[in-house]
């Protein structure tokens, strides 16, 4: 943690110093100072990206605890308001409440879709 804080401060310092040196060299028409500022900026920019990316990936235990608490409160609110209802799972076979031989609405019976006049025994007979 200390390493990352030190790197952040050094990167910001390098960027500010290089920018100042580059602008000063450009204004005073001093090529070596401008070149030094440009090289410093080229070194500082990738370090700044690294610092920003590592900062976005750091999550503290306190932040995780707060996020879990907010999620728990939101879930309780949704349950209390009736937003979260567990749907009834579809039954894979015949409906016990519908009566014998009646399929529930979510099951398509193949018996209803057979072609009329064809006997199933004839249909399954082996061809000689």
């Amino acid at each position: 943690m200390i390493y990352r804080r030190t790197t952040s401060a050094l990167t910001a310092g390098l960027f500010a110093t290089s920018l100042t040196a580059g602008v000063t060299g450009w204004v005073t028409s001093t090529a070596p100072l401008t070149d030094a500022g440009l090289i410093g900026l080229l070194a500082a920019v990738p370090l700044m990206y690294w610092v920003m990316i590592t900062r976005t990936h750091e999550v503290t235990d306190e932040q995780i605890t707060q996020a879990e608490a907010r999620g728990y409160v939101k879930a309780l609110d949704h349950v209390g308001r009736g937003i979260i209802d567990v749907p009834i799972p579809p039954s894979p076979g015949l409906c016990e409440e519908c009566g014998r031989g009646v399929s529930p609405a979510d099951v398509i019976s193949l018996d209803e879709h057979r072609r009329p006049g064809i006997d199933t025994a004839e249909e399954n007979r082996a061809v000689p």
Side-chain angles (χ1 to χ4, degrees), residues 23-71:
V23 169
T24 304
W26 181 67
V27 169
T28 61
S29 297
T30 309
L33 193 57
T34 305
D35 292 344
L38 183 61
I39 290 171
L41 283 174
L42 289 175
V45 169
L47 288 173
M48 288 177 62
Y49 276 110
W50 179 77
V51 166
M52 286 187 277
I53 288 170
T54 54
R55 231 185 241 172
T56 58
H57 289 197
E58 289 178 355
V59 178
T60 63
D61 291 336
E62 183 180 325
Q63 290 171 332
I64 292 173
T65 304
Q66 288 175 354
E68 287 176 349
R70 282 193 306 254

Side-chain angles (χ1 to χ4, degrees), residues 7-25:
T7 308
S8 299
L10 288 175
T11 302
L14 176 64
F15 183 79
T17 304
S18 300
L19 186 63
T20 304
V23 169
T24 304

Side-chain angles (χ1 to χ4, degrees), residues 91-95 98-112:
S91 62
L94 297 176
C95 180
C98 300
R100 182 119 177 103
V102 179
S103 294
D106 59 348
V107 176
I108 298 172
S109 174
L110 296 177
D111 288 335
E112 299 168 4

